Amino acid sequence: MSDLRRVLVLNGVNLGRLGRREPHIYGSVTHAQLVEHLVGTGTGLGLAVEVRQTDHEGELVQWLHEAADQEIPVVLNPAAWSHYSIAIADAVAQVPLVVEVHISNVHRREEFRHHSVVSRYATGVIVGLGLGGYDLALTHIAATA
């Protein structure tokens, strides 16, 4: 059994299209490359990182319930769901440690992106630092062990 602390990185809708979707906003790194990077970064921080992505809201809610039940810290990019999904917000409220991450600076984008219903339940929020926001979230989680 591993001595590394388990962490889930959960990515929401459309994030599986990283590298193809609006690279001028989200960059050219693919989701597969992000997964590889985060697993390696996590190992270096003493974390067993598992990255998941879904385009199905209910699946994300189930993963958050799993994290709540097992007290697994979460790095969460709920993507567009952050702006309106009360179901995801309610699930996040049950997880003891959640860092919400947004790749782009949502406050410099369309008005509807300026508010997250998830943020009030997150331990912290990282916005607009590109994929490096995930690294910062993992560093924070590692420091709270």
Side-chain angles (χ1 to χ4, degrees), residues 14-46:
N14 292 316
L15 288 169
R17 299 194 52 79
L18 285 175
R20 294 180 298 245
R21 178 184 178 219
E22 299 175 282
H24 63 285
I25 295 173
Y26 300 105
S28 59
V29 173
T30 67
H31 192 266
Q33 291 168 325
L34 175 64
V35 170
E36 183 178 347
H37 170 77
L38 294 177
V39 169
T41 297
T43 300
L45 293 168

Side-chain angles (χ1 to χ4, degrees), residues 10-15 52-68 74-102 115-123:
L10 303 178
N11 286 316
V13 66
N14 292 316
L15 288 169
R52 302 175 185 174
Q53 188 278 326
T54 186
D55 293 323
H56 303 283
E57 186 177 15
E59 186 169 39
L60 183 56
V61 169
Q62 289 176 331
W63 292 341
L64 289 164
H65 291 170
E66 173 189 341
V74 172
V75 175
L76 173 65
N77 186 338
W81 290 322
S82 61
H83 311 299
Y84 66 87
S85 178
I86 303 305
I88 290 173
D90 286 349
V92 168
Q94 300 172 55
V95 182
L97 176 55
V98 177
V99 180
E100 181 181 359
V101 172
H102 294 279
H115 178 72
S116 168
V117 297
V118 172
S119 294
R120 75 174 299 158
Y121 303 108
T123 307

